[in-house]
Amino acid sequence: MDTVFRASFSLLIVLLVPIVGYGQSTQPDLVSAQLLGDVDAVAAGAEFRLAVLLKIKPGWHIYWKDSGDAGVPTSVRVTLPEGFRAETPRWPVPKTFTEAGGIVSYGYENEAPLVLTVHAPQRLVDGATRRFSAEVTWLACADRCVPGSAKVHLDLPVSGEPQPANAERVAAWEKHLPVLADAPNSPARAMVTSTHRQPANQNVQMSLNWNRPLRKVEFYPPVHPALKIDRDSVTIETNKRATRIRFEAGLIGDAKTLKETLDALVVWTDRKGLRHGLEIPVDFDLKRSP
Amino acid sequence: MLRRTLAMGVMLAAVLAIGCEQERQPPAPADEPPREAAAPAVEHATATAAIGEPAPDFVLEDWSGRRIGLTGHAGDIVVLEWINPDCPFVQRHYKEGTMARLAAKYADRGVAWLAINSTHYMGRGGNQRWAEQYELPYPILEDRRGMVGRLYQAKTTPHVFIIDREGVLVYAGAIDNDPAGVKPPDERVNFVDRALTEMAAGQPVTIPESKPYGCSVKYTE
């Protein structure tokens, strides 16, 4: 009898373990945060995804990983259980905000899922529930700006056979994420070439050949604290199913060199008016003249 | 007579028909060629500031009505600091005394510090209250119509510009490299302090530009 009771009780606990984690926001009426997983449990050697889902009050916006002319990028810091490893967060496709004075910034309204791919270690030493935490900081702006932050966590049990969870929400957040240019479902083939007039200046040309009709092409330059891309130098030309994007890149601040591959984001609007993102890697090699 | 009126009538009808015909264009096809969305056009005043070029002149009034401009500071190094007391980034720096400390450090080395407020909804009263609250040793110039802000293309508060003794713009950008205000002292670089030290020693400014951070300047439409 006692055993039955205990077993039922344990079962009840397992069923009640949340697969959606909540947290505390400093400005809950402006931005709320939740941590969601696409699985209901973790297993050794498994790969799964976590999403920090931010909900923003109508009329307000927060910023992309590059805020543009003003504002501050949203940032996320994750704390993982021992042995777990997370890849760099994937940012949903931003939109452009233009304010008086020609101030252009990039960010999100309503909802933004920041998605992380997490890898479990090859061996899990015990069956204890694992806690995943994230701290998000943002600047929320409307006609004025208010900084904020939230701490969120998600507890996942250990299981030999994790099941998919939050399927509908996962499908929804997938729609927001850009695809890579060389992925099978990519809408275009991309080719990138660069020329240097001087070691500290690089002219980049991206050629895109689309495999479907589209209405509009937008360009969001790669982001790096040492990288400067003058918006006035960006040109976008589209002819039938080919787009050519050109821009100039240089160094800014106290950086002496930049030798890195960074992703540029091309946003294309389909015939239904929906916006999608395409990530294209660009190799940068800049050296400040001594 | 009748023939002429008739002819005029026909001509008038023809003209009207042509006019109408031009207005009644067939609707654009559903999959028109994609329109390029280049970056939205930035509105420029006729002579905007550029690093290495003479800084555009202006005259503005502080909250007591005193008229202050670049010509009155010929021969000085001039620092222009865009400000908005309602912006959390400005508030943090003023609590920390960042700008006042710098202004005081270079005051007797021929450096004039001018704060400029291009916030469209804030006037002299707001500027005066802020100046008095922090006992500022430098003026806050009222630019609520946004003319000087647009001339310099000030984007954020704070956004700092430094003009050398010959009137050339030599620095434009952030006050420092720490937008969140969290870097430890040995990692925080104050670009303005660094530039002013170099200029005071007669050396070129080694970091003429950095990405400014802060709230957007709240210009009038």
Side-chain angles (χ1 to χ4, degrees):
Chain A
M1 185 84 120
D2 193 32
T3 320
V4 169
F5 175 77
R6 235 187 286 151
S8 315
F9 190 65
S10 309
L11 187 63
L12 196 60
I13 297 287
V14 165
L15 289 172
L16 286 177
V17 167
I19 51 175
V20 174
Y22 294 90
Q24 287 285 65
S25 163
T26 55
Q27 296 283 338
D29 58 329
L30 293 182
V31 181
S32 70
Q34 268 185 303
L35 190 57
L36 306 175
D38 68 349
V39 290
D40 66 355
V42 294
E47 181 188 295
F48 58 98
R49 283 171 306 175
L50 296 175
V52 179
L53 186 63
L54 299 167
K55 282 203 167 73
I56 306 147
K57 182 174 178 173
W60 292 74
H61 58 269
I62 63 174
Y63 295 92
W64 188 46
K65 61 179 178 177
D66 174 12
S67 58
D69 288 345
V72 166
T74 302
S75 70
V76 61
R77 203 178 52 194
V78 285
T79 306
L80 302 169
E82 176 139 1
F84 286 76
R85 183 179 56 87
E87 296 180 19
T88 346
R90 292 180 61 201
W91 293 82
V93 174
K95 61 176 281 199
T96 298
F97 300 92
T98 308
E99 295 172 67
I103 296 173
V104 173
S105 50
Y106 311 129
Y108 306 105
E109 287 177 318
N110 300 318
E111 210 173 75
L114 299 178
V115 181
L116 299 117
T117 301
V118 181
H119 300 271
Q122 289 306 315
R123 219 171 59 87
L124 285 169
V125 291
D126 60 52
T129 299
R130 297 305 202 269
R131 171 161 288 198
F132 300 83
S133 310
E135 185 170 359
V136 197
T137 44
W138 61 76
L139 181 70
C141 294
D143 55 345
R144 62 194 169 89
C145 293
V146 181
S149 64
K151 286 192 167 85
V152 288
H153 63 262
L154 175 65
D155 293 328
L156 290 175
V158 172
S159 155
E161 273 186 36
Q163 298 301 310
N166 294 312
E168 262 181 43
R169 299 173 87 165
V170 172
W173 83 45
E174 277 296 328
K175 289 204 177 79
H176 289 280
L177 297 177
V179 303
L180 298 172
D182 56 3
N185 57 344
S186 168
R189 266 183 4 254
M191 199 175 73
V192 182
T193 55
S194 288
T195 56
H196 282 77
R197 281 181 292 113
Q198 306 151 28
N201 283 95
Q202 186 171 335
N203 291 341
V204 180
Q205 177 167 307
M206 295 171 47
S207 303
L208 300 166
N209 284 292
W210 302 95
N211 57 31
R212 63 199 72 178
L214 38 82
R215 275 205 213 148
K216 188 167 142 180
V217 176
E218 299 163 70
F219 180 67
Y220 290 79
V223 179
H224 191 281
L227 185 66
K228 180 187 177 193
I229 294 172
D230 193 351
R231 215 174 35 250
D232 291 340
S233 79
V234 177
T235 61
I236 306 174
E237 295 163 287
T238 299
N239 188 7
K240 293 193 173 45
R241 293 277 179 96
T243 296
R244 188 172 58 179
I245 298 172
R246 282 187 282 200
F247 61 90
E248 285 172 26
L251 291 167
I252 194 169
D254 46 354
K256 303 262 190 304
T257 65
L258 176 63
K259 198 168 158 66
E260 248 183 83
T261 303
L262 300 167
D263 284 327
L265 178 67
V266 172
V267 175
W268 57 282
T269 304
D270 67 23
R271 292 167 73 172
K272 291 197 208 130
L274 298 171
R275 293 169 75 243
H276 307 272
L278 180 62
E279 266 173 4
I280 301 167
V282 179
D283 296 325
F284 287 96
D285 189 358
L286 298 161
K287 257 188 285 290
R288 198 185 289 283
S289 341
Chain B
M1 179 70 150
L2 183 62
R3 229 185 323 180
R4 210 176 323 156
T5 317
L6 208 58
M8 297 257 292
V10 168
M11 267 174 29
L12 190 60
V15 165
L16 282 173
I18 292 166
C20 287
E21 201 55 55
Q22 279 174 344
E23 250 143 75
R24 252 184 292 119
Q25 292 283 359
D31 62 338
E32 54 191 299
R35 279 172 285 123
E36 305 79 62
V42 175
E43 286 147 77
H44 290 285
T46 42
T48 52
I51 294 173
E53 300 292 316
D57 195 11
F58 61 86
V59 174
L60 293 173
E61 293 181 10
D62 73 3
W63 49 261
S64 69
R66 195 158 48 114
R67 289 165 66 75
I68 297 171
L70 287 188
T71 334
H73 283 290
D76 286 337
I77 292 170
V78 180
V79 179
L80 303 179
E81 172 214 337
W82 257 263
I83 190 173
N84 175 358
D86 282 347
C87 172
F89 295 89
V90 173
Q91 291 163 358
R92 171 171 66 79
H93 276 298
Y94 273 74
K95 281 198 186 75
E96 292 173 11
T98 313
M99 284 75 173
R101 219 179 13 251
L102 275 178
K105 178 176 173 183
Y106 293 98
D108 60 354
R109 285 194 249 181
V111 175
W113 195 286
L114 306 176
I116 300 182
N117 193 348
S118 302
T119 310
H120 73 90
Y121 60 78
M122 197 176 293
R124 300 197 177 171
N127 293 336
Q128 182 175 357
R129 273 191 294 280
W130 190 253
E132 285 173 355
Q133 178 182 351
Y134 287 97
E135 297 173 339
L136 295 182
Y138 50 81
I140 302 179
L141 306 182
E142 189 233 285
D143 180 44
R144 62 191 297 188
R145 283 186 311 154
M147 242 177 40
V148 180
R150 288 176 148 106
L151 203 52
Y152 280 78
Q153 294 182 73
K155 301 265 191 251
T156 58
T157 53
H159 194 164
V160 183
F161 300 80
I162 305 178
I163 300 158
D164 73 8
R165 297 186 201 282
E166 280 74 52
V168 173
L169 184 67
V170 294
Y171 177 81
I175 178 81
D176 61 22
N177 66 347
D178 191 11
V182 295
K183 286 196 160 100
D186 58 338
E187 279 177 48
R188 199 188 277 196
V189 177
N190 187 304
F191 296 122
V192 176
D193 194 2
R194 181 179 165 134
L196 291 173
T197 302
E198 288 165 340
M199 292 165 83
Q203 287 159 5
V205 173
T206 51
I207 301 174
E209 197 174 6
S210 68
K211 188 176 194 304
Y213 66 79
C215 314
S216 54
V217 173
K218 302 295 184 255
Y219 286 108
T220 181
E221 290 296 331

